[in-house]
Amino acid sequence: MRLKAHDLDFSYEEDKKVLKDIHITAEEGEIVALVGPNGSGKTTLLRCLADFHTPEKGEVKIDGMDIKEYTLNEKARKLGYVPQIENISFPSTVFDTVLMGRKPYVSWKPSDQDRRIVSDLLEKLELSRFAMREVNELSGGQRQKVFIARALAQKPMILLLDEPTSNLDLKHQLEVLDIIQQQKKKGISSIIAIHDLNLAIRYSDRIVMLKEGEVYASGGMEVVSAENIEDVYDVEVHIGEHQGWMIVTPDKPL
Ligand code: ADP
């Protein structure tokens, strides 16, 4: 098991649990979609898994070892965290931002190999022509790819992505999810907080549905049932099928 978190409880304020008894796992090369309404705890959970928050109860294990036992550099080689982009202001060039991802490997100065890794990533993610541009000048989709590139530069075993497709047009959504899926072939596991249930169905191996800080359901595509969605999102939906894929559509007359 690459990542295993169990029994996690977390609160920002006393007596107000935001996460309760959370169990979540990711196998090697597995893509896990974390779904649930706004405020259900997706970001908080990802931040607990990335060790930015310390749960009051429970533990997060990476490759069998408690995350707290890793040094900062070791942790950065295991985990790449991609935050929500909309609030990020980043006064740095694309190249330098992605180069920061090499920090866990750099003694005091980036080597030619570090620069080559960054150039290769920029090329693969079709960002080379923006290399010397300020990240702040890029579109949402391009910026999202820069932060994914930065996480990939860490050469992590696990990617934790917080709504990597929100605010992106359809082409960029698919591009970003394709990049994540390509990592699967290298054995990299991903846990993705994602709003679009249809994309979650299409791109993930497993779905974990949160409701009010608890895992409401976890498993295969059967998690995305009309009953579960109504109970968790308070929306009636119709589950149909298109070319072998399940499709969720609102069941409400306009
Ligand atoms: P999601 O990502 O599913 O929208 P969040 O993890 O952002 O959910 O939020 C879960 C709950 O924690 C919400 O009730 C939210 O208001 C609360 N919360 C999030 N961040 C903070 C914070 N920094 N301080 C206090 N409460 C917070």
Side-chain angles (χ1 to χ4, degrees), residues 34 57 122 152 198 209:
L34 198 54
K57 183 165 85 59
L122 293 185
L152 291 177
N198 290 317
M209 189 179 272

Short mmCIF file of all heavy atoms in Angstrom, two decimals, residues 34 57 122 152 198 209:
data_model
loop_
_atom_site.label_atom_id
_atom_site.label_comp_id
_atom_site.label_asym_id
_atom_site.label_seq_id
_atom_site.Cartn_x
_atom_site.Cartn_y
_atom_site.Cartn_z
N LEU A 34 -11.55 12.14 -5.02
CA LEU A 34 -12.17 12.55 -3.75
C LEU A 34 -13.29 13.51 -4.12
O LEU A 34 -13.04 14.59 -4.66
CB LEU A 34 -11.08 13.27 -2.96
CG LEU A 34 -11.22 13.48 -1.47
CD1 LEU A 34 -11.49 12.18 -0.76
CD2 LEU A 34 -9.94 14.12 -0.94
N LYS A 57 -6.22 12.78 15.66
CA LYS A 57 -6.30 11.34 15.90
C LYS A 57 -5.98 10.66 14.57
O LYS A 57 -6.24 11.21 13.52
CB LYS A 57 -7.73 10.99 16.34
CG LYS A 57 -7.96 9.55 16.70
CD LYS A 57 -9.26 9.36 17.46
CE LYS A 57 -10.51 9.23 16.61
NZ LYS A 57 -10.59 8.16 15.67
N LEU A 122 8.73 20.76 -18.97
CA LEU A 122 8.06 21.88 -19.65
C LEU A 122 7.69 21.47 -21.07
O LEU A 122 6.62 21.80 -21.57
CB LEU A 122 8.95 23.11 -19.66
CG LEU A 122 9.22 23.76 -18.29
CD1 LEU A 122 10.03 25.04 -18.45
CD2 LEU A 122 7.92 24.07 -17.55
N LEU A 152 5.69 17.36 -10.25
CA LEU A 152 6.32 16.23 -10.93
C LEU A 152 7.84 16.32 -10.88
O LEU A 152 8.54 15.31 -10.86
CB LEU A 152 5.85 16.14 -12.39
CG LEU A 152 4.38 15.75 -12.58
CD1 LEU A 152 4.02 15.77 -14.07
CD2 LEU A 152 4.11 14.36 -12.01
N ASN A 198 -18.62 13.28 -13.58
CA ASN A 198 -18.41 12.53 -14.82
C ASN A 198 -16.92 12.36 -15.13
O ASN A 198 -16.49 11.31 -15.59
CB ASN A 198 -19.14 13.20 -15.98
CG ASN A 198 -20.64 13.05 -15.83
OD1 ASN A 198 -21.13 11.97 -15.48
ND2 ASN A 198 -21.38 14.13 -16.03
N MET A 209 -16.31 9.24 -1.52
CA MET A 209 -17.29 10.32 -1.43
C MET A 209 -17.39 10.79 0.02
O MET A 209 -17.65 9.99 0.92
CB MET A 209 -18.65 9.81 -1.91
CG MET A 209 -19.70 10.89 -2.08
SD MET A 209 -21.27 10.19 -2.69
CE MET A 209 -21.03 10.26 -4.46
#
